[in-house]
Amino acid sequence: MTIQFEISENVAQIRLNRPDVLNSFNKEMALAFQKVLDQCDKDPEIRAVHITGMGRAFCAGQDLAEAIATDGPSLQDIVKDHYNPIIARIRGIEKPVICAVNGVAAGAGANIAIACDIVFAAESASFIQAFSKIGLIPDSGGTFFLPRLIGLQRATALMMLGDKVKAQDALSMGMIYRVCADDQLQDESLKIARQLAKMPTRGLGYTKRALNLSMFNNLDDQLDVEEDLQTKSAATYDYKEGVNAFLEKRTPLFKGE
Ligand code: T3D
């Protein structure tokens, strides 16, 4: 199975599983990834998503053997049918999506990682905008997210030069949220995923929607978005539970409703 998937403690764990080719994406893995992301979106039992890679890499982007195979999908179809729907799903799932980058993340692998809501990386992990080295442009949302995360200058340089960025440098630039010791990465990132899965899921989902919209909106429009989504948040069970628990000086028990 190119994608491993399990649900425990309201967290969906997705593991990219083609370790022999550094979890590079072929069509089968891209479509299987989309399928489990759809399940993450729809299944109310799932309240946070955790994505990582099997073996020594996170993901080396497109499987280049498939990309040049004469009977394989065209380059346009690869972008349109594989990567664009993956990025749209990661941003569209109104639940926290945590990425644990366990090794090298190159090409589409790097951009799938930074499209996630909270990115952890192992100390030995690295990020490479590998596209320029093979004559391609960065895809999988990279030209959208990377300049917003680290600024236009640095994004341009990394995308044109294809430099390898170590996890600590990625952290200093604001590309990712946290670096963990290699042997702590899975535990620490899963702990945060489990913590998020116990929080008010609807409120977190509306937060993600507001942040998505903030990428395009002017201030007036964004203030309207906040008014609308705050009203929706206030109508949730978890808001009432949160306030009652505070007033009664007890720990809230959120249901994600
Ligand atoms: O159609 C389209 O292409 C459009 C879509 C574009 C999206 C993209 O993602 S384009 C970018 C594609 N990815 C790359 O260009 C990265 C290619 N890989 C590398 O540069 C290096 O493998 C890494 C820097 C990621 C890691 O280097 P290293 O030295 O740690 O490992 P390695 O020895 O290069 O790779 C180990 C094995 O994985 C090796 O196979 P082998 O020799 O053991 O049989 C290697 O061929 C294989 N592998 C690594 N990346 C890919 C791959 N096989 C197929 N596709 C790959 N992307």
Side-chain angles (χ1 to χ4, degrees):
M1 280 212 290
T2 54
I3 293 288
Q4 292 183 353
F5 183 68
E6 66 179 276
I7 305 168
S8 69
E9 298 178 51
N10 301 109
V11 175
Q13 291 185 51
I14 301 173
R15 290 184 283 266
L16 310 180
N17 188 32
R18 300 183 75 224
D20 293 348
V21 283
L22 307 189
N23 301 321
S24 57
F25 272 94
N26 61 3
K27 180 173 182 173
E28 183 192 338
M29 188 165 96
L31 298 185
F33 193 29
Q34 290 174 22
K35 198 169 162 199
V36 295
L37 289 171
D38 281 341
Q39 187 176 341
C40 293
D41 186 32
K42 292 197 185 90
D43 186 345
E45 193 199 331
I46 297 171
R47 293 172 61 187
V49 181
H50 181 274
I51 302 171
T52 194
M54 295 300 287
R56 70 175 174 94
F58 172 67
C59 172
Q62 170 61 30
D63 182 323
L64 294 174
E66 183 187 75
I68 58 155
T70 43
D71 57 347
S74 73
L75 198 138
Q76 183 179 3
D77 286 348
I78 288 174
V79 175
K80 179 167 62 73
D81 298 336
H82 300 186
Y83 298 112
N84 289 356
I86 287 171
I87 301 303
R89 280 164 172 78
I90 289 172
R91 295 313 310 165
I93 294 172
E94 293 199 336
K95 302 169 185 177
V97 179
I98 314 308
C99 188
V101 180
N102 52 300
V104 65
N111 291 336
I112 287 170
I114 61 170
C116 294
D117 296 312
I118 303 178
V119 184
F120 289 76
E123 225 150 22
S124 66
S126 56
F127 298 80
I128 311 173
Q129 294 291 327
F131 309 87
S132 63
K133 293 181 178 168
I134 54 169
L136 291 180
I137 71 134
D139 58 21
S140 305
T143 58
F144 186 85
F145 292 109
L146 196 62
R148 285 168 170 78
L149 289 167
I150 67 172
L152 185 61
Q153 269 289 320
R154 279 192 286 214
T156 307
L158 293 184
M159 288 178 159
M160 289 191 171
L161 294 168
D163 288 340
K164 180 192 264 199
V165 179
K166 291 182 182 158
Q168 279 297 348
D169 294 331
L171 179 67
S172 310
M173 288 178 195
M175 197 192 297
I176 62 173
Y177 174 64
R178 190 178 291 176
V179 175
C180 306
D182 287 12
D183 61 356
Q184 296 297 310
L185 173 73
Q186 301 301 338
D187 283 353
E188 285 190 30
S189 57
L190 269 170
K191 190 173 153 202
I192 297 294
R194 290 189 179 117
Q195 179 186 328
L196 286 160
K198 290 189 174 65
M199 290 177 66
T201 310
R202 301 273 298 280
L204 299 183
Y206 292 143
T207 301
K208 182 165 175 177
R209 194 189 301 181
L211 290 170
N212 280 341
L213 292 167
S214 79
M215 308 263 193
F216 323 97
N217 274 344
N218 62 33
L219 178 61
D220 284 345
D221 290 342
Q222 193 62 19
L223 290 173
D224 288 345
V225 166
E226 289 178 1
E227 181 185 329
D228 174 43
L229 295 179
Q230 195 67 292
T231 307
K232 288 186 165 68
S233 301
T236 62
Y237 170 90
D238 285 342
Y239 167 66
K240 290 176 193 64
E241 168 63 5
V243 173
N244 286 336
F246 175 78
L247 295 175
E248 292 161 16
K249 301 191 187 306
R250 61 175 173 80
T251 305
L253 192 60
F254 295 118
K255 292 184 178 175
E257 293 168 9

